[in-house]
Amino acid sequence: MAGLDDEQWMRHAFALADRAEREFDEIPVGAVLVGADRQVLGEGWNRNIADHDPTAHAEIVAMREAGRVLGNHRLVGCTLYVTLEPCAMCAMALVHARVARVVYGASDPKTGACGSVFDLIADPRHNHRVEVVGGVLGDEAGRRLTNYFRAKRGRPLV
């Protein structure tokens, strides 16, 4: 049943990504951090432009919120759902926070750090292992991002 659950949470992340684009004109990436009890602990979307913060990626925003909710920098047993494969910064934050799983939609062919360009998250030298599941609703996730950039450039949507 994890597959259906993963898709449900990815759709939740899509809604957050839509909010990033609609309300803030940010690149539409959304993330939701879910505890082992399937409760939402943190939500985020890209806020780099709005917050004037290069570290305000969707994943980081969601993890910061979850840390405040839990009163802990460790997010043990949690799963992060994100619409785009995490970059190096976000991948290492997942390792440091001791997140159990990361589930992402679209692979990032430029800066992905969970198996596509880099595989930082799986480096055996880390003292914590994060399970990675990629490609959940990946075609839809990729199409959303492609259309965002095509619209910015005045090109037809796909």
Side-chain angles (χ1 to χ4, degrees):
M1 244 2 187
L4 290 175
D5 211 36
D6 287 350
E7 287 186 10
Q8 171 197 340
W9 289 116
M10 187 60 66
R11 292 202 183 284
H12 185 107
F14 285 163
L16 297 169
D18 290 345
R19 190 169 175 194
E21 181 177 2
R22 184 179 61 252
E23 295 179 25
F24 302 96
D25 197 26
E26 296 269 3
I27 296 172
V29 177
V32 58
L33 193 103
V34 179
D37 60 359
R38 299 170 63 166
Q39 297 299 309
V40 174
L41 298 173
E43 296 178 332
W45 53 85
N46 276 10
R47 299 187 51 89
N48 307 85
I49 298 165
D51 290 356
H52 312 291
D53 180 355
T55 69
H57 288 189
E59 302 96 317
I60 300 296
V61 173
M63 286 190 282
R64 284 177 181 156
E65 185 175 297
R68 284 190 293 271
V69 166
L70 294 173
N72 196 333
H73 68 290
R74 299 289 192 219
L75 306 173
V76 176
C78 294
T79 298
L80 181 85
Y81 295 90
V82 60
T83 58
L84 180 65
E85 180 183 3
C87 69
M89 172 184 70
C90 294
M92 291 311 302
L94 289 163
V95 171
H96 289 298
R98 307 293 194 265
V99 169
R101 294 175 75 221
V102 61
V103 178
Y104 68 84
S107 295
D108 185 342
K110 294 183 179 177
T111 63
C114 295
S116 62
V117 178
F118 307 103
D119 202 358
L120 292 178
I121 212 161
D123 190 300
R125 294 170 287 191
H126 297 311
N127 61 351
H128 174 73
R129 300 286 170 260
V130 179
E131 179 188 345
V132 176
V133 178
V136 173
L137 301 177
D139 290 342
E140 182 177 347
R143 188 170 41 259
R144 289 164 162 268
L145 286 159
T146 296
N147 282 336
Y148 170 80
F149 289 110
R150 290 180 75 88
K152 285 282 185 199
R153 295 176 180 111
R155 297 176 64 200
L157 305 183
V158 294

